Each structure stands twice: as structure tokens, then as C-alpha cells.
Amino acid sequence: MSTMLFVNLPVADVMRSRAFFTSLGFRFDALFCDQGTVCFEVNDGCRVVLHGAQRFAGYTAGSIADPRNGGRETLVALSAPSRDEVDRRADAALANGGTHLRDAEDLGFMYCRSFCDPDGHAWEVMWMDPSQIPQDSEV
């Protein structure tokens, strides 16, 4: 069995978060969902698990960071198959309760946009064509 990654984040309202990420095109895994937790699949090896804050606090050995106050505990970056898909997901996020994090970045070989979900967690959607990365002879 290959290693899987589960990104766990606290949220204030589990159902609001489910609606938000559904609007971005994610599907939820019923095996890991209940009243206090929802889980969506990023790909075969990665899931994002959104826990109500009280449940999340039961799993942590410390206090819960509040990203709405400007601190970042993480930036979750998701790849997309095209520039258009980057725009579609970022636009959907902003239209469904997300907020602008920083301006789009276009480096030619990479294009990304970032936003915060309704709980203030930072997300980035990015497209990249590794074959177009400039080769720097001095590196």
C-alpha cells in the first residue's frame, strides 16, 4: 500500500466548509464524514479532512491557530491541469465565500492564484509545465 497524506484542518462550520469545497468541484468521501468531520479527496493518495474546531482540538496537543488573525499555519497548494482550471477554481472560491489572498502569479511555466477559505486557511491553485522551466546555467 502506498503512503497517503491526510491534511487535517479545523473549521468553524463543517457544513459551510462542505458547501464551499463542493463549489470548487471536490467530492466527499462518506467513509470519513459525519456531523463533526468531512473529508474530500484531492487524488488517490491525498485527502483533506475538515474537523469542527472542538473535535480538532481533541486531536491536537496544543492550541488551535486562528488564521483569520493573519497568522498562517499552512498554505495548501493544489495542482490543476490547465490555466483555465486554475481560474475556474479560484473564481469559484471567491464567488462562494472565499477571500482574495494575493495577486495571481504568472511566470510563464507556472501560473497560480491564491485565496482563503471561509475559515481563513490559505489555499493556492497552480498549473505548471516543468518542461518550460528556464534553465539557469549559474545554479
Side-chain angles (χ1 to χ4, degrees), residues 22-61:
T22 297
S23 78
L24 301 186
F26 291 104
R27 292 174 298 177
F28 287 79
D29 185 341
L31 182 63
F32 299 104
C33 294
D34 61 25
Q35 293 290 20
T37 299
V38 292
C39 174
F40 64 86
E41 177 180 314
V42 175
N43 59 38
D44 289 342
C46 182
R47 307 280 189 278
V48 174
V49 187
L50 306 171
H51 303 277
Q54 187 174 2
R55 179 172 285 176
F56 185 83
Y59 296 129
T60 63

Side-chain angles (χ1 to χ4, degrees), residues 7 13 92 110:
V7 177
D13 183 331
M110 182 176 77

